[in-house]
Amino acid sequence: MCPYCGADAVAWYEDSHFHLGCSECDNLVIRYPIPPASFDRDRPESLLVAGGAFILRDQTAMRKGVCPYCAGTVSGALTEEGGGLEEFNERVYSSVARYVCERCSWSMHCGVPFALNMEPAVVSFFHDHGIAIFDRHPWSIYQYADDRVCSRDPWRVEVTCRIDGDVLRIVIDGDVDVIETAIEAAA
């Protein structure tokens, strides 16, 4: 589902990249390199599985501070809307999480809710609501989450996940580290 207009998302493979975009408003949600042999062109769902697997693998390593390609040290930082990347400029993000390898310069950029989809508090919150987050495509968090910038000096961004009236709030700092979590149960 498109995080901008709610229409169905479509996936395609072009120029050695997995793409996920909207079927109605033409917004590009994801563009990420994956090998052509990682999916079966006769099984469209396999493209979604491969795209999700490569993104989650790389995101997990980079969130842990290790480059998935050269094992160099990775640093995370929040950037302004769009992060200076053309493909992000049309997206509706209050800020962007950017991870960069200090050795090979491999980088990964994503909306803040997406950056937190493997945080223990998020995984637990979804699990408590009967949702196995790792059994879904990693971008599915967008249908439950939103974010807002609380401060830019110092950086503080709050991500709010809502399921069945319950709310998980996570605050991160400028290094994309979680500094606060709170759960509000539905009345």
Side-chain angles (χ1 to χ4, degrees), residues 28-100:
L28 181 64
V29 178
I30 295 172
R31 180 179 181 270
Y32 202 75
I34 66 170
S38 64
F39 67 98
D40 181 348
R41 292 181 188 265
D42 294 328
R43 291 183 28 245
E45 175 65 23
S46 72
L47 176 59
L48 290 171
V49 171
F54 277 88
I55 290 167
L56 190 59
R57 178 202 69 181
D58 291 359
Q59 180 187 22
T60 301
M62 295 190 92
R63 283 278 300 152
K64 292 295 184 186
V66 179
C67 178
Y69 296 98
C70 78
T73 302
V74 171
S75 58
L78 292 177
T79 64
E80 296 289 336
E81 294 176 20
L85 296 173
E86 180 180 328
E87 60 204 41
F88 275 89
N89 288 337
E90 295 180 13
R91 297 184 187 186
V92 184
Y93 294 133
S94 59
S95 61
V96 173
R98 181 174 188 250
Y99 300 94
V100 179

Side-chain angles (χ1 to χ4, degrees), residues 20-160:
L20 185 69
C22 181
S23 61
E24 295 295 321
C25 69
D26 295 326
N27 272 307
L28 181 64
V29 178
I30 295 172
R31 180 179 181 270
Y32 202 75
I34 66 170
S38 64
F39 67 98
D40 181 348
R41 292 181 188 265
D42 294 328
R43 291 183 28 245
E45 175 65 23
S46 72
L47 176 59
L48 290 171
V49 171
F54 277 88
I55 290 167
L56 190 59
R57 178 202 69 181
D58 291 359
Q59 180 187 22
T60 301
M62 295 190 92
R63 283 278 300 152
K64 292 295 184 186
V66 179
C67 178
Y69 296 98
C70 78
T73 302
V74 171
S75 58
L78 292 177
T79 64
E80 296 289 336
E81 294 176 20
L85 296 173
E86 180 180 328
E87 60 204 41
F88 275 89
N89 288 337
E90 295 180 13
R91 297 184 187 186
V92 184
Y93 294 133
S94 59
S95 61
V96 173
R98 181 174 188 250
Y99 300 94
V100 179
C101 176
E102 296 171 8
R103 179 182 296 152
C104 74
S105 300
W106 178 259
S107 66
M108 186 174 206
H109 301 73
C110 58
V112 174
F114 191 89
L116 300 179
N117 68 3
M118 70 190 79
E119 285 298 315
V122 173
V123 174
S124 176
F125 182 72
F126 278 73
H127 179 267
D128 290 348
H129 288 86
I131 299 171
I133 199 165
F134 294 114
D135 289 347
R136 295 173 166 235
H137 301 301
W139 51 85
S140 67
I141 193 170
Y142 283 122
Q143 66 186 326
Y144 302 99
D146 56 52
D147 64 313
R148 71 177 180 89
V149 174
C150 301
S151 166
R152 282 190 166 81
D153 188 19
W155 268 105
R156 297 291 185 264
V157 174
E158 180 184 71
V159 174
T160 305

